[in-house]
Amino acid sequence: MSAPMAIRYRKHHRLFSQNILHKCRHLLRYLSSSHGKRDYDLVVIGGGSGGLACSKEAAQLGKRVAVLDYVNPSPHDWSGQYGQGYGQGTQWGLGGTCVNVGCIPKKLMHQAALLGHLIEDSRSYGWDVPESVNNDWQKMCGAIQNYIKSLNWGHRVQLKDKNVEYLNALGSFADPHTIRAVDAKGQERVLTTENAVVAVGCRPLLPSQIPGMAEHAVTSDDLFWMKNSPGKTLVIGGSYIALESAGFLTGLGFDTTVMVRSICLRMFDQQMAHLVTDYMENSGTRFLKQCVPVRVEKNGDGKLEVQYQDANGNKDKETFDTVLLAVGRSPVTKQLNLSQIGVDLDDVGKVIGDYDGDHERSSVSHIYAIGDVLHGRPELTPVAIKAGKLLAHRLFGGSQVHMDYDKVPTTVFTPLEYGVVGISEETANVTFGDSNIEVYHAFYVPLEFAIPGRDATQCYIKVICEKGDDGRVLGIHLTGPNAGEIIQGFSVAITCGATWRQLSSSIGIHPTTAEELVKIHITKRSGKDPTVTGC
Ligand code: FAD
Ligand code: NDP
């Protein structure tokens, strides 16, 4: 064979081989997406609390797992405040809401606010502290953001160590077993999978019907990443996020007002909710009750003028530096094509579970949902994590264990903490009837409040039980310092079915706040003064 002929032959041969290879790949993809082996045992869409836990657990069980996480920037345009180049909105890294714009920065700002109170208290304990002590917002945020970035990095490392393939890409379903992943550069990858978990969480609601609101207000997606301090702030909403944010903003020294359209902490025991808001009011947070915003406008000096009206239609207006909207969160399922592939959604777009007796299974049997995106379940990090881990074990570990969504403990950090596990007094009355329950209660003074003479009017404990010594404990409610830490332990007791007899025969640890829970003995029914006196 002549040299030119040999070159032509080799070229032809190479093209032929490439063609065959391409056809083989195509065939493989076809086979895997229809009836052959698929690329993955599990693809998880959403790398937040639930998605990360589920994907890591599944990979530990030896499965081929990928997790997709992609953060669309918040819609807020910062260019007005920070200049050109900041138009894109707030963005963050791997780990989801809790790590980046939720529990973690919130708890750290709560801690910053508590430290402010402690500095005040420290004078009574002999510390020589200057009259005026100020918080440096930029310094605080810098430290918190650095910590968050270390968590983002830690999550990446863990995924790698545990053999989970991580794609920083936006996922959507092409068909029930095929997921399209598009990265920030628009590059697309197609993944076929035996099972899929939807763990995309929620994002803050921005009601578009209030003129100027969507344009000028920030949400919790922005608050923790603001370059400049928020200044005088109006917080709109009356639930967890609104009250917690208002609590730490007040504690950090900002003039803070909460605008509530109805009641605060609707899902909680209302006696406890009032204690929380009374404490906040006594600590300097202002409340505009039964009011709704009507319009937000930016005036000449960059401040936000908010018009609002009360329940009688009376209008008023006030100027703020920042408007923080905390009126609920909505699931980010629109772009996933879930309805198109047969997954049932509720009217706000959350995935309906409970198919075939499995809380997290959707109407398409190999597609599951966990965390905030699952209809009718608490929107809390430990719930998402536990549900994700248990699901992985049911799918790949032969487990039959299901998530127990009852008796989920929680705490509102406002900054006086309100910790709760079990049901409210209202629910107990409706479910069991007033004559079948006993409510024990106590007002107490945390020892650490005594020396600085801090007002303990809102430090209160309520234990709701079925009647009789062997009646089950149905709910424990506590407002006070470290309520979250205390309730975590008592939630184990409630999970184990603790009775009034067991609770009251436990020995306290002195001197603590938690001991008041095992010492509690005065019933509401008795009408006796529930104020704790002496040891
Ligand atoms: P997320 O953590 O929201 O994760 C979902 C991830 O999926 C996100 O990263 C998202 O960007 C990504 N994603 C969305 N769509 C796609 C897609 N199509 N493709 C790829 N990725 C996608 N809970 C507590 O227990 N304690 C607290 O103290 C607490 N404080 C909070 C404070 C605030 C201000 C907020 C907002 C929430 C707080 N929560 C708290 C709630 C907690 O953050 C959530 O319950 C938890 O993060 C839910 O986890 P998840 O996995 O369901 O979703
Ligand atoms: P929620 O859905 O709990 O509450 C929304 C609040 O906004 C309610 O007070 C509601 O009032 C009010 N609201 C709704 N629409 C409007 C409107 N158009 N105008 C004025 N007010 C309005 O939302 P959150 O965003 O506070 O919290 C979301 C979830 O995040 C929580 O359920 C919780 O599970 C989780 N979370 C947990 C925390 C923790 O564990 N410590 C902390 C923060 C969040 P109304 O009652 O009248 O409807």
Side-chain angles (χ1 to χ4, degrees):
M1 196 187 289
S2 69
M5 256 186 85
I7 290 169
R8 263 207 317 272
Y9 172 79
R10 278 205 296 274
K11 201 170 163 190
H12 179 78
H13 186 74
R14 202 173 61 235
L15 282 175
F16 180 76
S17 313
Q18 276 174 355
N19 206 5
I20 293 273
L21 204 66
H22 181 75
K23 286 203 165 118
C24 283
R25 278 208 192 111
H26 196 76
L27 186 67
L28 270 174
R29 179 152 296 158
Y30 169 76
L31 286 173
S32 65
S33 64
S34 50
H35 28 84
K37 195 150 176 63
R38 299 185 170 97
D39 303 336
Y40 298 93
D41 298 303
L42 177 67
V43 172
V44 178
I45 308 182
S49 309
L52 289 176
C54 184
S55 58
K56 286 188 287 189
E57 209 71 9
Q60 295 281 84
L61 291 165
K63 298 296 159 184
R64 298 161 302 155
V65 184
V67 62
L68 280 60
D69 191 58
Y70 191 88
V71 179
N72 278 317
S74 78
H76 194 75
D77 180 349
W78 291 105
S79 53
Q81 282 112 308
Y82 306 146
Q84 292 306 316
Y86 287 102
Q88 220 209 345
T90 314
Q91 237 179 329
W92 51 89
L94 176 63
T97 303
C98 177
V99 168
N100 296 284
V101 286
C103 333
I104 299 298
K106 181 279 302 291
K107 182 78 188 289
L108 292 172
M109 290 200 182
H110 167 65
Q111 175 64 14
L114 290 181
L115 283 171
H117 289 295
L118 288 177
I119 292 170
E120 294 284 319
D121 286 1
S122 71
R123 290 196 186 98
S124 317
Y125 287 96
W127 291 97
D128 192 7
V129 178
E131 248 336 284
S132 146
V133 181
N134 298 313
N135 177 265
D136 180 332
W137 175 268
Q138 284 169 350
K139 208 167 177 182
M140 175 188 71
C141 282
I144 292 175
Q145 289 164 12
N146 281 340
Y147 178 64
I148 291 174
K149 285 173 190 162
S150 77
L151 295 179
N152 298 147
W153 175 247
H155 282 307
R156 266 175 181 261
V157 173
Q158 277 187 29
L159 289 177
K160 204 167 182 339
D161 286 351
K162 295 194 167 150
N163 253 341
V164 178
E165 191 180 345
Y166 163 54
L167 284 84
N168 183 199
L170 192 70
S172 61
F173 284 88
D175 69 47
H177 282 286
T178 309
I179 287 158
R180 194 178 288 131
V182 181
D183 71 13
K185 292 184 185 139
Q187 305 264 10
E188 183 180 305
R189 244 187 83 181
V190 173
L191 295 79
T192 61
T193 183
E194 300 294 336
N195 301 283
V197 169
V198 178
V200 294
C202 292
R203 295 291 290 265
L205 280 167
L206 264 179
S208 53
Q209 70 277 16
I210 304 166
M213 189 60 84
E215 193 185 341
H216 299 303
V218 295
T219 68
S220 55
D221 278 358
D222 304 297
L223 178 65
F224 307 108
W225 296 84
M226 284 173 74
K227 290 189 193 309
N228 299 331
S229 75
K232 181 182 174 187
T233 303
L234 173 68
V235 182
I236 301 170
S239 194
Y240 273 100
I241 296 179
L243 298 191
E244 290 186 340
S245 305
F248 68 67
L249 288 175
T250 306
L252 293 172
F254 299 109
D255 179 343
T256 309
T257 304
V258 184
M259 187 181 287
V260 187
R261 72 171 174 188
S262 59
I263 57 170
C264 286
L265 298 174
R266 176 179 296 284
M267 319 245 292
F268 291 87
D269 187 292
Q270 281 302 297
Q271 183 192 7
M272 305 305 293
H274 281 115
L275 291 170
V276 167
T277 51
D278 287 352
Y279 177 85
M280 291 179 70
E281 279 188 294
N282 291 350
S283 309
T285 308
R286 187 164 68 111
F287 279 82
L288 288 169
K289 290 180 182 154
Q290 308 279 311
C291 288
V292 288
V294 176
R295 162 186 301 277
V296 184
E297 276 169 349
K298 192 173 250 185
N299 62 25
D301 57 4
K303 301 217 183 268
L304 300 175
E305 189 177 274
V306 180
Q307 288 181 31
Y308 61 94
Q309 69 179 33
D310 67 16
N312 300 317
N314 300 315
K315 287 203 169 78
D316 209 339
K317 62 183 175 189
E318 194 170 333
T319 303
F320 297 90
D321 297 306
T322 298
V323 174
L324 171 67
L325 202 56
V327 294
R329 297 169 58 78
S330 85
V332 275
T333 47
K334 250 190 207 137
Q335 71 256 53
L336 290 177
N337 298 331
L338 287 168
S339 305
Q340 289 87 328
I341 58 161
V343 173
D344 289 346
L345 303 179
D346 69 9
D347 52 1
V348 297
K350 287 199 174 194
V351 177
I352 298 176
D354 281 326
Y355 283 85
D356 305 324
D358 187 317
H359 297 317
E360 290 81 23
R361 179 176 265 156
S362 78
S363 49
V364 175
S365 64
H366 67 280
I367 299 179
Y368 299 81
I370 53 171
D372 287 7
V373 78
L374 183 60
H375 166 83
R377 303 300 182 189
E379 294 175 14
L380 295 168
T381 280
V383 171
I385 292 174
K386 179 69 91 186
K389 286 187 175 176
L390 290 174
L391 174 60
H393 281 272
R394 285 201 307 283
L395 283 174
F396 307 119
S399 160
Q400 305 279 319
V401 182
H402 287 264
M403 175 75 188
D404 180 359
Y405 287 99
D406 276 344
K407 307 188 191 90
V408 171
T410 183
T411 291
V412 190
F413 300 90
T414 38
L416 185 78
E417 297 181 8
Y418 164 33
V420 50
V421 55
I423 58 178
S424 66
E425 192 174 341
E426 293 92 335
T427 306
N429 272 323
V430 171
T431 314
F432 296 89
D434 170 59
S435 54
N436 297 315
I437 60 165
E438 201 68 87
V439 179
Y440 297 87
H441 67 159
F443 280 101
Y444 70 100
V445 180
L447 183 61
E448 57 268 43
F449 279 28
I451 301 291
R454 265 170 70 181
D455 180 17
T457 317
Q458 287 83 31
C459 293
Y460 181 68
I461 297 169
K462 180 154 78 171
V463 177
I464 303 156
C465 301
E466 282 175 335
K467 220 159 177 196
D469 281 358
D470 289 316
R472 277 176 309 150
V473 180
L474 302 170
I476 300 181
H477 303 256
L478 168 69
T479 42
N482 307 310
E485 305 295 341
I486 296 168
I487 288 295
Q488 180 66 81
F490 282 95
S491 78
V492 178
I494 283 215
T495 304
C496 296
T499 62
W500 167 246
R501 192 196 297 275
Q502 289 165 337
L503 186 76
S504 56
S505 61
S506 300
I507 309 295
I509 300 171
H510 189 68
T512 63
T513 293
E515 72 174 318
E516 303 301 344
L517 264 165
V518 295
K519 282 164 51 189
I520 202 165
H521 62 284
I522 292 177
T523 63
K524 264 196 174 177
R525 203 182 303 280
S526 73
K528 287 185 187 157
D529 180 1
T531 309
V532 174
T533 48
C535 284

